Amino acid sequence: QSTWGTLLLSPIMKLLSLFVAFFKQDETEQPAILSQAHDLSGFPFLQRTTIKEMTVFFCRTFIPRVEQARETVHHENYAVHIYRTESGLCGLAITDEDYVPRVAFQCLTQLLEDFKAEFPDTWKTMTVDQKIPGFKKTDQLLAKYSDPRQADRLVAVQQNVDEVRDIVHKDIQLLLARQEKLDTLVAKSEDLSAASKMFYNRGKRLNRCCLLQ
């Protein structure tokens, strides 16, 4: 049992969520989510709201804590790929652990380029979550990159593939500061409902029971 709940029902590699966010160190309190898209069809229906809230929590929690432009954070059977630009515009993808990081970062690169092309300046003043009407690229790229084997063939013919080689991989505990614990951040999060926090804690207890058996 994972703290994400039941593992994906589908055995194929999976892109679960894409986010565009704005975060400027020392200027914004927390990342403002500007666009998001999800494919949670591989999870049981009753768990999808909780899983979606967890993806938002990870987006809000991980972006301020990465130190490099491109980092992949591993947590249980999943990977969170974060791309932070100097301008403060950030992309985040959540995948299962078998999804190719190079493909994930190519997807994020294209997502941020499309976002900046459509909204050249307006996003620079967005400090709270937005639901920008008319921007459909997040959903489109989620669909396009949902099959990484097909997407990888698309990536391979592009000249800027080498740009995504310098990816830092970290376990979640290395990402968090020494005094921080994921359980504490979950408890404090305003993105998670009481039901989602209960679901997370139940998953943790089941994990401990499995380890003791």
Side-chain angles (χ1 to χ4, degrees), residues 3-5 22 32 37 52 66 86 107 122 146 162 174 189 191 213:
T3 53
W4 280 73
F22 176 65
K52 183 177 179 180
V66 294
E86 293 183 359
C107 175
T122 52
S146 61
D162 289 343
L174 292 177
S189 173
D191 291 312
Q213 290 179 356

Side-chain angles (χ1 to χ4, degrees), residues 24-199:
K24 200 78 167 168
Q25 201 80 40
D26 301 324
E27 293 183 22
T28 49
E29 183 177 347
Q30 63 178 3
I33 296 174
L34 309 182
S35 181
Q36 58 182 295
H38 308 271
D39 178 6
L40 306 179
S41 57
F43 292 96
F45 179 77
L46 293 178
Q47 292 181 4
R48 291 175 192 173
T49 298
T50 291
I51 299 300
K52 183 177 179 180
E53 289 183 2
M54 288 298 296
T55 67
V56 173
F57 166 74
F58 281 137
C59 179
R60 200 96 67 186
T61 301
F62 289 178
I63 285 177
R65 290 168 171 80
V66 294
E67 298 175 346
Q68 306 297 325
R70 297 178 178 89
E71 289 193 19
T72 292
V73 181
H74 299 275
H75 177 55
E76 296 179 345
N77 298 298
Y78 300 92
V80 183
H81 312 276
I82 306 110
Y83 178 24
R84 270 182 62 175
T85 68
E86 293 183 359
S87 65
L89 197 63
C90 308
L92 182 142
I94 299 177
T95 70
D96 68 4
E97 62 182 358
D98 295 323
Y99 197 96
V100 182
R102 179 170 67 94
V103 180
F105 281 101
Q106 180 59 37
C107 175
L108 292 176
T109 299
Q110 185 176 348
L111 177 61
L112 295 191
E113 287 177 353
D114 289 344
F115 190 87
K116 286 188 290 186
E118 196 156 336
F119 306 101
D121 297 307
T122 52
W123 56 269
K124 296 178 181 178
T125 58
M126 296 177 181
T127 57
V128 295
D129 289 359
Q130 306 281 331
K131 189 172 183 180
I132 301 175
F135 185 70
K136 300 179 179 179
K137 293 294 179 66
T138 314
D139 289 289
Q140 292 170 357
L141 289 175
L142 184 74
K144 177 180 177 180
Y145 283 85
S146 61
D147 181 353
R149 290 162 293 193
Q150 175 64 27
D152 197 36
R153 288 194 287 270
L154 297 172
V155 170
V157 299
Q158 298 187 24
Q159 295 181 351
N160 60 349
V161 168
D162 289 343
E163 294 180 4
V164 298
R165 285 182 176 173
D166 298 326
I167 302 170
V168 177
H169 291 261
K170 288 183 178 179
D171 182 82
I172 188 172
Q173 207 50 54
L174 292 177
L175 179 76
L176 303 179
R178 288 185 178 180
Q179 70 273 19
E180 292 182 314
K181 291 185 178 180
L182 185 60
D183 293 359
T184 304
L185 294 173
V186 167
K188 293 180 178 179
S189 173
E190 296 181 358
D191 291 312
L192 298 173
S193 63
S196 293
K197 292 176 182 179
M198 186 181 303
F199 189 85

